[in-house]
Amino acid sequence: MRHYDVLVIGGGHAGCEAAHAAAKLGARTAMLTLDRTKIGAMSCNPAIGGLAKGQLVKEVDALGGVMGRITDLATIQFRRLNSSKGPAVRSSRAQCDKNRYARFMQELLSSVPGLDLLEGEVTGLVVEAGRVVGVRAGSDEIRATSVVITSGTFLRAIMHRGTVQEEGGRLGDKSANSLSSDLVSLGLRLRRLKTGTPPRLHKDSIDWAQTIPQPGDERLIPFSFYHRPDPYPFLPQVPCFLTYTNARTHEIIEKNLGKSAMYSGAITGIGPRYCPSIEDKISRFRDKDRHQLFLEPEGLDVDEIYVNGISTSLPTEVQEEFVSTIPGLENAKFIRYAYAVEYDALDARQLRATLECKDVPGLFFAGQVNGTSGYEEAAGQGLVAGINAAHNALGREPWVISRLDGYIGVMIDDLILKGSDEPYRMFTSRAEYRLLQREDNADLRLSPKGIEIGLLSGAAAQCFQEKQANVLSLMSELQGYYFYPNPTTLERFERLGLAPIKDRISAEALLRRPEVGFPELNNLGYSSLNTQPEVQEQVEIQVRYRGYIENDLKLLEGVRSAEGMSIPGSLDYDTVAGLSNEIKGRLKEVRPENIGQASRIQGVTPAAVANLMIYLKNRRRGPISGGKAPHDSFSG
């Protein structure tokens, strides 16, 4: 019988981050997966990042995770989305070589001291005295102080294509059936969700002349803050391509809706509204005469083209018929047909902010099994679960990232308070303080936390400290440099088309003008001692948006005070005066860990929160003179 501090079940993006983090923190760790060659596999879209998702990847990297650095090594097209808009909504996206991504991830994990990579199928959990102590893997039993389940879409998974059904969470891979039963026997609530994937076409069968090239950015900005060798070994960069559906495409799909596994009733799980199948697009958006499709290469040395925008569960013959109506795809050859996957997911309201199960100590969950969708969301959860699984095993304090700290905290807070009726996806609109929680400052926000817990160390920690010092130095330099309204300076202002100055003005004040950046300052005669683009970008944003940032910081500090008032897990809400039965029911179901969480539960009113705060404050003070002692004790 083998024993580990932390055992991670699954080798997807959540599992990779969890296993890496736990081992790096000193826990003897194992990853148990069905197939070691599938560790880090990009099962769906071979891309990392995107709107709001780029922030998640940057935050994972800032804390000491691995997704960002592996993405940089495997990227074949970099793009920064919304680059012309404000910094709060800018997000990086990278098209990856899927085979290289998985290979680089496997090589990295194989080199981590204290991490074993095991093959096998989990057939059940081992629970003693209400606490998880390991798993059964066939006839073997593997013991662990902490178990992290990152099973993705594999719990009781069924793949659908028309009337054809096949067990499995990914084409060619088995489903995990017995684990669902064990979770239910422990009293955990599961729900049925659905996801899908589009067809892959052979690149040589596409008429590229009928498509529109979509090149990447000329300036490549890596995801990782700390793993940037000079020169960087970027892969060759390639374009993606754009095409559109048309009236004939829509006619074929609508005529065959009854053959779709989703529309025939074969699928009962709920899919994501924000990423609808092509059947959903045709049904819900009948006013649109065409839908945009992206043709995305899956690698430099592979023939597959991922057709982003036509996820479907229609039969193969219907897929062939409607794809042939799309410009450029008239003679396309299918390498893989599209299909939908239906699977079990946990109701994440049963988890703490650490992603540990409230009712089964030592059992953690991360990734799509928690009802999320996307590699980036999975990685963020995997990192938090891996850190806390290690802390649990090594006797350290729980580690929490709140929604006030970053996008990872927003996501986890949403999941554990609201659950997910459909696969959850991160959006910038979910973050109340997105101007503070930008992707460009993820390192300045979160790297001190990564250093504090020991996940970010050595050269990476030194790199952070140097950047932090450089930002402060450049800010001070700008504040102390002045332009004077002399003839030479005024001539330079006129040449650049800038409004003239009448009195002396600091470089910092001038940088607040929207038309002035560091290139303009340099042309006016200012020469910065620091020319690092990321440092200048950071300073420019901080200077230009200072008023908004300061206002958000004031609001943030007020909210933090509510987050600090903890609620004991054993609290009997029936003893709290002034709560309706409906609100008591919501609080009992979610069991919030603090007042901040309670205030964000749907249906819990401000008056109810106020009553709860009064109740908790009274219990902290203890019985008052002449009164009776509280019904149950409260500490902390």
Side-chain angles (χ1 to χ4, degrees):
M1 183 187 301
R2 289 170 287 183
H3 189 283
Y4 292 92
D5 295 319
V6 176
L7 178 61
V8 178
I9 310 302
H13 302 281
C16 290
E17 294 293 348
H20 173 265
K24 289 285 285 185
L25 292 178
R28 186 167 180 242
T29 305
M31 172 191 284
L32 179 62
T33 183
L34 290 170
D35 184 349
R36 285 183 54 172
T37 67
K38 299 291 180 66
I39 291 173
M42 307 185 90
S43 304
C44 197
N45 191 352
I48 297 291
L51 297 178
K53 291 169 174 282
Q55 280 86 334
L56 289 171
V57 182
K58 292 276 192 176
E59 290 185 356
V60 166
D61 185 77
L63 288 164
V66 295
M67 175 173 272
R69 70 172 98 162
I70 299 299
T71 299
D72 292 342
L73 291 171
T75 292
I76 55 179
Q77 185 191 94
F78 277 101
R79 291 185 72 188
R80 177 178 271 188
L81 308 180
N82 286 340
S83 58
S84 62
K85 297 183 179 180
V89 294
R90 294 173 193 161
S91 301
S92 296
R93 183 186 188 274
Q95 189 72 20
C96 292
D97 183 309
K98 65 176 184 179
N99 291 338
R100 283 180 169 85
Y101 185 97
R103 187 174 81 243
F104 293 151
M105 182 65 79
Q106 291 164 25
E107 290 172 354
L108 185 148
L109 294 181
S110 297
S111 69
V112 175
L115 174 59
D116 292 343
L117 304 179
L118 312 176
E119 278 190 344
E121 180 182 0
V122 174
T123 54
L125 298 173
V126 181
V127 178
E128 294 177 358
R131 182 181 186 89
V132 69
V133 295
V135 303
R136 295 186 301 276
S139 59
D140 194 11
E141 188 174 295
I142 305 173
R143 292 268 172 157
T145 307
S146 299
V147 174
V148 186
I149 294 179
T150 67
S151 51
T153 62
F154 283 77
L155 290 184
R156 279 200 316 128
I158 299 176
M159 295 180 290
H160 295 264
R161 188 185 293 128
T163 59
V164 177
Q165 296 183 6
E166 183 181 349
E167 281 194 4
R170 176 174 56 210
L171 196 64
D173 292 318
K174 296 188 296 184
S175 154
N177 294 322
S178 56
L179 191 52
S180 280
S181 301
D182 268 27
L183 296 176
V184 171
S185 70
L186 290 172
L188 301 183
R189 300 185 302 273
L190 302 181
R191 55 186 50 179
R192 205 76 174 144
L193 296 179
K194 168 256 175 188
T195 188
T197 189
R200 274 63 158 183
L201 306 178
H202 198 291
K203 65 180 182 182
D204 293 338
S205 67
I206 295 172
D207 182 358
W208 297 105
Q210 294 191 64
T211 65
I212 305 167
Q214 298 285 300
D217 294 341
E218 289 186 13
R219 179 191 168 204
L220 308 185
I221 305 175
F223 272 100
S224 180
F225 294 103
Y226 304 119
H227 299 272
R228 296 184 175 185
D230 187 19
Y232 202 95
F234 288 115
L235 292 175
Q237 301 293 289
V238 300
C240 295
F241 295 84
L242 187 65
T243 186
Y244 294 89
T245 62
N246 52 56
R248 178 59 181 151
T249 316
H250 299 183
E251 179 186 340
I252 293 170
I253 292 170
E254 189 157 20
K255 181 180 66 176
N256 288 281
L257 280 178
K259 298 178 182 178
S260 165
M262 188 171 64
Y263 279 77
S264 69
I267 293 176
T268 58
I270 300 172
R273 283 175 297 165
Y274 51 79
C275 188
S277 66
I278 190 64
E279 297 99 300
D280 269 343
K281 290 179 184 178
I282 303 306
S283 298
R284 289 164 48 191
F285 308 109
R286 295 181 183 276
D287 57 317
K288 290 187 176 292
D289 56 7
R290 67 177 190 171
H291 291 284
Q292 182 174 264
L293 307 180
F294 288 96
L295 306 179
E296 301 173 337
E298 295 208 334
L300 298 176
D301 309 314
V302 297
D303 295 325
E304 290 99 324
I305 297 296
Y306 181 96
V307 189
N308 192 342
I310 53 171
S311 169
T312 181
S313 60
L314 284 163
T316 56
E317 64 274 12
V318 179
Q319 293 184 37
E320 291 178 346
E321 186 180 4
F322 82 71
V323 165
S324 68
T325 67
I326 298 169
L329 309 184
E330 293 87 349
N331 299 305
K333 298 289 188 270
F334 282 68
I335 292 178
R336 187 194 308 173
Y337 292 96
Y339 60 93
V341 180
E342 191 178 18
Y343 58 96
D344 284 343
L346 183 78
D347 182 345
R349 291 176 295 179
Q350 299 162 103
L351 303 179
R352 304 182 191 281
T354 59
L355 296 181
E356 183 181 21
C357 183
K358 293 174 179 175
D359 296 313
V360 187
L363 183 60
F364 296 79
F365 292 83
Q368 282 186 269
V369 70
N370 285 342
T372 59
S373 174
Y375 306 147
E376 305 82 3
E377 289 87 345
Q381 294 172 70
L383 184 75
V384 172
I387 291 169
N388 282 294
H391 281 205
N392 175 67
L394 301 174
R396 300 172 186 167
E397 288 295 312
W399 185 83
V400 172
I401 178 170
S402 81
R403 73 183 302 119
L404 309 181
D405 297 318
Y407 275 52
I408 296 174
V410 171
M411 170 182 62
I412 291 175
D413 192 68
D414 283 348
L415 290 172
I416 66 175
L417 297 183
K418 302 172 185 176
S420 53
D421 293 330
E422 62 177 318
Y424 176 99
R425 178 179 178 175
M426 194 68 217
F427 296 108
T428 55
S429 58
R430 296 190 191 273
E432 297 89 342
Y433 304 101
R434 52 188 174 273
L435 182 56
L436 299 178
Q437 298 167 349
R438 309 181 307 273
E439 73 164 29
D440 62 84
N441 72 348
D443 55 339
L444 299 179
R445 288 186 286 114
L446 295 177
S447 288
K449 295 179 182 291
I451 292 170
E452 182 182 9
I453 62 175
L455 194 56
L456 197 70
S457 59
Q462 183 179 350
C463 181
F464 162 73
Q465 290 157 355
E466 289 175 356
K467 178 180 177 180
Q468 189 178 46
N470 286 335
V471 168
L472 293 173
S473 174
L474 182 55
M475 190 75 76
S476 176
E477 184 183 307
L478 288 169
Q479 292 167 348
Y481 187 95
Y482 286 90
F483 295 96
Y484 294 87
N486 55 49
T488 301
T489 300
L490 291 175
E491 190 274 329
R492 288 172 178 169
F493 269 74
E494 184 179 1
R495 190 169 64 245
L496 291 173
L498 300 175
I501 57 174
K502 297 180 180 179
D503 300 301
R504 76 168 190 171
I505 185 172
S506 71
E508 181 198 36
L510 201 57
L511 193 58
R512 293 187 198 131
R513 293 188 184 184
E515 69 274 16
V516 175
F518 275 94
E520 286 74 25
L521 290 180
N522 293 336
N523 287 330
L524 289 171
Y526 167 79
S527 180
S528 171
L529 297 177
N530 192 309
T531 58
Q532 294 173 288
E534 62 270 21
V535 172
Q536 292 190 350
E537 177 187 50
Q538 188 56 225
V539 169
E540 187 172 324
I541 291 170
Q542 289 188 27
V543 168
R544 190 161 291 168
Y545 294 90
R546 175 172 294 165
Y548 301 103
I549 290 172
E550 288 177 350
N551 286 338
D552 275 2
L553 285 171
K554 289 176 183 177
L555 290 172
L556 203 62
E557 288 311 307
V559 176
R560 282 192 192 278
S561 62
E563 296 289 325
M565 181 176 282
S566 60
I567 302 174
S570 60
L571 179 63
D572 181 0
Y573 289 99
D574 290 328
T575 65
V576 182
L579 301 184
S580 68
N581 288 333
E582 178 188 353
I583 289 176
K584 288 177 183 177
R586 292 177 184 271
L587 291 167
K588 289 176 184 177
E589 183 178 42
V590 176
R591 287 177 284 169
E593 298 170 69
N594 54 55
I595 286 292
Q597 288 183 3
S599 69
R600 293 189 292 274
I601 298 174
Q602 187 175 4
V604 175
T605 64
V609 173
N611 285 335
L612 186 55
M613 289 178 68
I614 292 169
Y615 179 87
L616 292 172
K617 287 177 180 177
N618 286 338
R619 297 183 75 75
R620 283 184 171 178
R621 286 197 294 265
I624 59 176
S625 177
K628 293 183 178 180
H631 178 67
D632 59 326
S633 62
F634 172 79
S635 61

